[in-house]
Amino acid sequence: MPLVTSTAMFKKAYEGQYAVGAFNVNNMEIIQGIVDAAKEEQAPLILQVSAGARKYAKHIYLIKLVEAALADSDLPICLHLDHGEDFEICKSCVDGGFSSVMIDGSKHSFEENIALTKKVVEYAHAHGVVVEAELGRLAGVEDSIKVSGKDASYTDPDQAVEFVERTGCDSLAIAIGTSHGAYKFKGEPTLDFERLEIITKRLPGYPLVLHGASTVLPEFVAKCNEFGGDLKGAQGVPEHMLLQAGKQGVCKINIDTDLRLAMTASIREHLQTHPADFDPRQYLKPAREAIKNMVQHKIKNVLNCSNRL
Ligand code: G3H
Ligand code: 13P
Ligand code: ZN
């Protein structure tokens, strides 16, 4: 099956009140683990690539790995650029075979964000590619950019309506309290569900996106810590909140940190318990399995998108 855009996936997800998982990919083992899980669960899938991933693995390698995943499965897969920061990177991914791009103009003023997003939408739509944009600002770490809590700002519902109307973007990432990375909340985790409800009412049927949606499961934090990591105080978004978001118009849920934790915990454990191993396959095989298990758990229990093809 060729790559698909997220349009049909989001329509079905909105109507079915569940979310499609968007998982960050950086190498072969991560892609294989994710695709194996989605195959077993018969779930739609978004594989997303950040600027950092493109720099690490090279665009061409990632494209070829995703082509291999398509040939090796019957799944509808959407290949998406995560957090494109300017027109040039979005154009490069549109020209280079992606089916979806994100233009993240959230650090700009409202008007500048609109102008930039509009430019990307015009180019992408002319090439059959869909566009995610972002309004409001998440705290946390993305690539090398760190946004402090005080620079974060929640999405304004009036602005969201105007933004979608004026840009024509196909989906919108909103800020309601999630953040990137392993340290999302200092105290009790809370998301602004009232704000989400207002945005959904003002944009009926429109697909919303939640970034920074890893749960940072305590067992993986403990495992990383036990085998030499230092993740004290790490805390993510509780799973029941993500399920709730899926019922309230959030059609795409972004997960990267949980994959990093699963993979790293597995590799740390393997090397500590098998100190004589030095064949990368010996520790990457269980790491790939750990990714698969994590994604399968997300699809079944957090996204509610098993058997939704
Ligand atoms: O939101 C950012 C994603 O977690 C990607 O992270 O830019 O370090 O690849 P990265
Ligand atoms: P996490 O850091 O919570 O996994 O968020 C990932 C993300 O939003 C990628 O765009
Ligand atoms: Zn993000």
Side-chain angles (χ1 to χ4, degrees):
M1 186 185 279
L3 277 181
V4 297
T5 70
S6 48
T7 308
M9 284 183 193
F10 287 168
K11 189 171 185 298
K12 245 183 122 178
Y14 194 97
E15 284 160 7
Q17 301 201 323
Y18 62 91
V20 179
F23 301 98
N24 285 75
V25 298
N26 293 278
N27 68 12
M28 183 186 77
E29 283 75 12
I30 296 175
I31 293 177
Q32 288 178 332
I34 296 167
V35 171
D36 281 353
K39 263 204 291 200
E40 237 163 78
E41 291 306 315
Q42 290 292 289
L45 186 59
I46 299 172
L47 296 175
Q48 56 186 16
V49 170
S50 68
R54 277 176 102 228
K55 211 181 282 168
Y56 171 76
K58 283 196 184 172
H59 184 102
I60 183 76
Y61 282 83
L62 293 169
I63 280 279
K64 294 294 170 192
L65 285 167
V66 173
E67 279 174 11
L70 288 164
D72 190 37
S73 75
D74 295 328
L75 292 175
I77 298 178
C78 169
L79 179 58
H80 173 74
L81 167 68
D82 191 27
H83 294 286
E85 69 162 1
D86 52 33
F87 176 78
E88 286 66 35
I89 189 170
C90 292
K91 179 179 184 302
S92 167
C93 288
V94 169
D95 296 346
F98 282 41
S99 56
S100 173
V101 293
M102 173 185 191
I103 176 67
D104 181 357
S106 62
K107 66 175 182 230
H108 299 298
S109 71
F110 184 61
E111 287 300 330
E112 281 166 353
N113 191 356
I114 287 184
L116 177 60
T117 301
K118 234 177 130 174
K119 187 173 171 192
V120 171
V121 167
E122 273 162 23
Y123 188 80
H125 283 184
H127 293 80
V129 171
V130 292
V131 178
E132 173 186 329
E134 180 165 329
L135 186 64
R137 213 159 177 217
L138 270 67
V141 189
E142 239 167 78
D143 239 332
S144 51
I145 302 163
K146 220 175 174 174
V147 183
S148 71
K150 72 172 171 37
D151 289 328
S153 58
Y154 286 7
T155 307
D156 177 88
D158 291 333
Q159 282 195 338
V161 176
E162 185 181 340
F163 188 90
V164 167
E165 275 172 11
R166 286 176 60 192
T167 63
C169 61
D170 302 279
S171 60
L172 185 69
I174 53 163
I176 57 166
T178 60
S179 63
H180 292 104
Y183 300 88
K184 300 193 190 293
F185 303 100
K186 288 217 176 75
E188 197 56 31
T190 46
L191 294 189
D192 192 343
F193 281 106
E194 279 174 36
R195 185 177 298 266
L196 176 58
E197 195 180 337
I198 297 168
I199 296 172
T200 308
K201 277 201 181 123
R202 302 284 311 275
L203 288 168
Y206 188 83
L208 300 173
V209 178
L210 207 56
H211 282 245
S214 279
T215 295
V216 191
L217 292 159
E219 63 192 274
F220 288 90
V221 173
K223 225 180 208 182
C224 278
N225 287 341
E226 184 187 346
F227 293 105
D230 182 13
L231 280 165
K232 284 179 205 77
Q235 210 189 161
V237 186
E239 294 181 341
H240 69 90
M241 292 190 187
L242 297 168
L243 270 171
Q244 183 59 34
K247 291 183 181 142
Q248 288 186 227
V250 169
C251 296
K252 173 174 179 271
I253 288 189
N254 284 12
I255 297 161
D256 186 6
T257 298
D258 279 339
L259 303 188
R260 295 178 181 195
L261 285 172
M263 188 166 199
T264 305
S266 166
I267 294 172
R268 276 186 193 281
E269 182 177 11
H270 185 89
L271 292 178
Q272 289 233 355
T273 52
H274 302 77
D277 281 358
F278 61 88
D279 178 342
R281 292 171 296 188
Q282 287 163 329
Y283 53 86
L284 289 177
K285 193 176 170 190
R288 180 172 60 190
E289 194 64 17
I291 295 268
K292 180 187 170 190
N293 292 338
M294 176 62 79
V295 172
Q296 210 162 353
H297 168 72
K298 297 283 179 190
I299 289 174
K300 281 204 264 199
N301 306 316
V302 180
L303 303 160
N304 189 21
C305 74
S306 298
N307 301 309
R308 305 282 194 174
L309 296 186

